[in-house]
Amino acid sequence: MAPVAPLAELELTPHTGGRAPVQVAAIPELDLTRQKAGPDLPPQVVPDLELTRARDIGAVPVAPLLELDTGRAQDDGVRTAAPVGAVVCRYCRNVQADGLLCDRCGMRLPKARPAATAAAGAKRADDDDGWTNCTSCQTRVRRGRACSECGTRSQAEA
């Protein structure tokens, strides 16, 4: 540590005894009574202040907005397909095949259904070992337990 030189224009006040009692005389003009504050004071009425309602502003003209469309568009029957397969993180553009959180930045990934296999709906050979797919995110999870990715509880074995 570098040595610190004291400034010549600063007064050095040594503290040798720690906290020493200081003799203080009361000022004769000072009133030593304390004014009441807070709940000790009585409530004061403000005659011009009405707290229950706003004043009457009279008749205000209300005109409907003619250009405002309150209806719905006609259904064309076209639906956007849910994304399948790999998911792209919208924050860091990392592409990953599965998971609820991005492996690179940790942000939540958009939900996507896993790609359909050739034997969709067919029972897998390893389904009898107590594992199943989560109904929300399709992560492998033990039956009757909460999913480690999204927290959805899986169905117990029937």
Side-chain angles (χ1 to χ4, degrees), residues 100 108 111 134 136-137 139 147-152:
L100 190 62
R108 187 177 183 99
K111 289 187 176 182
C134 174
S136 295
C137 66
T139 303
C147 177
S148 61
E149 293 290 326
C150 68
T152 304

Side-chain angles (χ1 to χ4, degrees), residues 37-137:
D40 299 339
L41 293 175
Q44 295 180 355
V45 178
V46 181
D48 298 338
L49 183 63
E50 174 62 48
L51 296 176
T52 57
R53 66 184 186 107
R55 66 179 178 88
D56 189 19
I57 58 171
V60 177
V62 178
L65 296 173
L66 300 176
E67 65 274 3
L68 180 64
D69 182 17
T70 59
R72 293 184 68 161
Q74 292 295 324
D75 185 14
D76 59 359
V78 177
R79 301 288 182 260
T80 304
V84 295
V87 179
V88 178
C89 176
R90 65 177 173 256
Y91 298 100
C92 69
R93 297 292 174 211
N94 179 39
V95 179
Q96 75 186 52
D98 60 355
L100 190 62
L101 302 175
C102 178
D103 291 337
R104 182 186 297 166
C105 69
M107 298 302 290
R108 187 177 183 99
L109 293 173
K111 289 187 176 182
R113 294 184 185 152
T117 59
K123 194 171 185 181
R124 291 176 35 170
D126 60 345
D127 276 348
D128 293 329
D129 63 355
W131 290 84
T132 184
N133 288 338
C134 174
T135 57
S136 295
C137 66

Side-chain angles (χ1 to χ4, degrees), residues 8-64:
E9 59 269 7
L10 291 180
E11 174 188 346
L12 296 178
T13 308
H15 296 282
T16 56
R19 293 192 176 263
V22 177
Q23 299 296 326
V24 178
I27 301 173
E29 305 90 43
L30 183 63
D31 186 13
L32 295 178
T33 60
R34 182 176 161 277
Q35 183 178 1
K36 294 181 179 181
D40 299 339
L41 293 175
Q44 295 180 355
V45 178
V46 181
D48 298 338
L49 183 63
E50 174 62 48
L51 296 176
T52 57
R53 66 184 186 107
R55 66 179 178 88
D56 189 19
I57 58 171
V60 177
V62 178

